[in-house]
Amino acid sequence: MTKEVPVLYASCIPVKGAAKSIICDLQRQNYVHIPNDLYNILTEHSGKSLEEIKIFYENKYDNIIDNYFQILFKHDFAFLTDTPELFPKLQLEWHEPFEITNAIVDIDSSSKFELNTVLNQLSSLSCKFVQIRFYRNTSIKEIENIFRFLNTVKSNSIGIELLIPFNKSLNDTNCLLLFKNFKRLNSLIVYNSPQGKRIKPIGNSKYYINTGVDITSEKHCGCIDKSLFSINIKVFSESQKFNSCLNGKISIDKNGDIKNCPSMPDSFGNINTNSLEQAILDKHFKKYWNLNKDDIDICKDCEFRYICTDCRAYVEDPENVKSKPLKCGYNPYKGEWKDWSESKLKKESITYYNL
């Protein structure tokens, strides 16, 4: 009689951490913690039946093994089959046809560059996603003009995320009209909002977000939090070999300087005198693109490493290029989250970055 073998669905991938493991469900975009012992069973005994696994452990842990797999079946992470060879694992390869996939543009009251010039150049680079962050008041009319200009550029693939401070014109009615009138608007984040934190999905993949946090500069970047995890095939695949924040990114800081990220010190010219295409050719521009989480101290032992972002602008040890992100309060060796800013071990680095 053929024995049935437990098989994980291809989109359900286990990731081991120092204290705990998780299974990432990349299709339903969630994760569940599992014991490291179960991770070991899934990876070391793949293709074996439950009976064979129990025999390997000399039938000493039959009840525990049964309970482990009941957890997997309950969450619909796994199924039983007598033809496991028909269910191959997901191929985690990541490819993009263009070098630049995403961009950040920062604008404050002192900025002296033309946003339209930047958008034109990003369009020429076939950039798909642009986050525009305003650190000054802006109006609905100004926002509408951005999208009207985008309708004139060659590429129609640019999606926009806007980060803007609250003002009275940014009421729900006007903000929701922006989504209706401009299909390129992917997300609208209104910060310093008196309404506090609110997240309103618009369709399947767009969001209108209010937050009470007052985001005054690029120094707000780099926060690591469970709410910011990206659990999908694209991010998970990219994170296997590339930096989950900086790969494919180009940025214009509030002074017009061209950078990999606005929070980082390295500049590759100014948009008023240099083109984005010229900046990318600099041999140091892609310095961090291939620095993935498996290379980062402490992060390489974290179960969240393939769904978490990575900050190289603010790190625990400014002298170590592979140091853990400063603004992360998770300890993978204890499986505990704490407020990163309260850590005595980080005080020196917080002072160094003037945070």
Side-chain angles (χ1 to χ4, degrees):
M1 182 178 177
T2 303
K3 295 181 179 179
E4 290 192 314
V5 172
V7 175
L8 288 172
Y9 287 99
S11 60
C12 298
I13 303 178
V15 182
K16 189 175 185 179
K20 303 176 183 178
S21 296
I22 58 173
I23 289 184
C24 291
D25 187 334
L26 303 181
Q27 182 173 339
R28 286 170 288 196
Q29 300 188 1
N30 60 20
Y31 69 87
V32 170
H33 269 107
I34 61 171
N36 280 351
D37 286 343
L38 176 52
Y39 173 91
N40 293 334
I41 290 173
L42 292 171
T43 54
E44 296 173 12
H45 301 284
S46 177
K48 294 181 181 179
S49 68
L50 287 175
E51 290 77 7
E52 289 171 325
I53 295 172
K54 291 175 182 178
I55 290 172
F56 178 87
Y57 292 103
E58 300 177 345
N59 295 106
K60 293 180 180 179
Y61 309 105
D62 289 5
N63 288 338
I64 293 175
I65 291 171
D66 284 337
N67 288 335
Y68 280 166
F69 280 92
Q70 285 304 313
I71 292 172
L72 299 181
F73 298 142
K74 176 184 176 182
H75 288 283
D76 201 23
F77 290 153
F79 59 96
L80 292 170
T81 178
D82 56 6
T83 56
E85 67 278 4
L86 298 180
F87 302 93
K89 293 183 179 179
L90 191 67
Q91 296 299 307
L92 295 175
E93 296 182 0
W94 186 88
H95 300 285
E96 279 286 344
F98 303 105
E99 281 190 299
I100 299 300
T101 61
N102 66 106
I104 298 175
V105 183
D106 280 356
I107 300 172
D108 71 1
S109 56
S110 66
S111 297
K112 292 181 173 58
F113 60 88
E114 290 293 331
L115 177 60
N116 290 353
T117 299
V118 177
L119 294 174
N120 243 333
Q121 292 191 33
L122 289 173
S123 173
S124 297
L125 293 171
S126 299
C127 179
K128 293 181 179 179
F129 174 82
V130 184
Q131 183 186 60
I132 304 173
R133 308 188 300 197
F134 285 95
Y135 301 122
R136 60 161 172 79
N137 283 331
T138 184
S139 65
I140 289 290
K141 183 177 181 180
E142 182 177 10
I143 295 170
E144 290 174 340
N145 286 337
I146 292 173
F147 290 102
R148 290 195 179 99
F149 173 78
L150 280 171
N151 288 336
T152 70
V153 301
K154 295 179 182 179
S155 173
N156 59 7
S157 63
I158 295 180
I160 300 291
E161 177 175 275
L162 286 175
L163 184 76
I164 52 182
F166 174 82
N167 66 61
K168 291 183 179 180
S169 72
L170 297 172
N171 55 55
D172 288 350
T173 301
N174 288 338
C175 288
L176 292 174
L177 273 175
L178 290 173
F179 284 96
K180 181 179 179 180
N181 294 334
F182 303 105
K183 302 306 179 185
R184 294 176 188 258
L185 180 59
N186 290 343
S187 297
L188 174 60
I189 302 170
V190 179
Y191 66 86
N192 201 19
S193 171
Q195 302 189 48
K197 186 175 181 179
R198 292 189 313 163
I199 301 177
K200 180 178 177 59
I202 310 293
N204 294 325
S205 58
K206 300 185 177 186
Y207 295 92
Y208 168 41
I209 300 170
N210 281 258
T211 176
V213 178
D214 189 9
I215 304 172
T216 56
S217 76
E218 73 284 351
K219 289 189 176 183
H220 184 79
C221 278
C223 295
I224 308 296
D225 188 84
K226 287 185 287 186
S227 65
L228 301 175
F229 288 165
S230 296
I231 312 168
N232 57 66
I233 292 174
K234 181 184 181 300
V235 171
F236 196 94
S237 299
E238 185 177 12
S239 297
Q240 304 297 307
K241 293 184 178 180
F242 301 99
N243 187 276
S244 55
C245 180
L246 299 175
N247 182 47
K249 177 178 267 122
I250 195 166
S251 301
I252 311 297
D253 76 2
K254 59 194 177 188
N255 300 314
D257 291 330
I258 304 169
K259 299 180 175 182
N260 198 181
C261 165
S263 302
M264 301 181 79
D266 296 335
S267 173
F268 302 91
N270 189 281
I271 193 64
N272 290 316
T273 54
N274 301 84
S275 70
L276 300 182
E277 190 171 6
Q278 287 174 320
I280 296 168
L281 294 175
D282 189 292
K283 64 180 181 180
H284 298 297
F285 186 81
K286 303 175 185 177
K287 176 180 178 179
Y288 297 101
W289 284 21
N290 296 322
L291 189 63
N292 63 53
K293 283 289 195 177
D294 289 322
D295 296 324
I296 305 298
D297 295 343
I298 300 179
C299 293
K300 62 188 178 183
D301 297 322
C302 180
E303 66 270 29
F304 299 122
R305 61 189 177 274
Y306 301 134
I307 58 175
C308 183
T309 189
D310 180 64
C311 180
R312 295 296 91 203
Y314 309 116
V315 296
E316 288 190 342
D317 179 2
E319 301 300 319
N320 178 7
V321 71
K322 295 184 178 180
S323 183
K324 175 186 176 182
L326 176 64
K327 298 182 184 181
C328 176
Y330 185 64
N331 183 335
Y333 307 106
K334 295 181 178 180
E336 296 176 350
W337 286 91
K338 292 185 178 179
D339 185 345
W340 68 270
S341 64
E342 297 299 319
S343 171
K344 294 180 180 179
L345 299 175
K346 297 178 186 261
K347 294 298 182 184
E348 187 173 333
S349 294
I350 291 172
T351 301
Y352 175 87
Y353 292 115
N354 192 26
L355 297 175

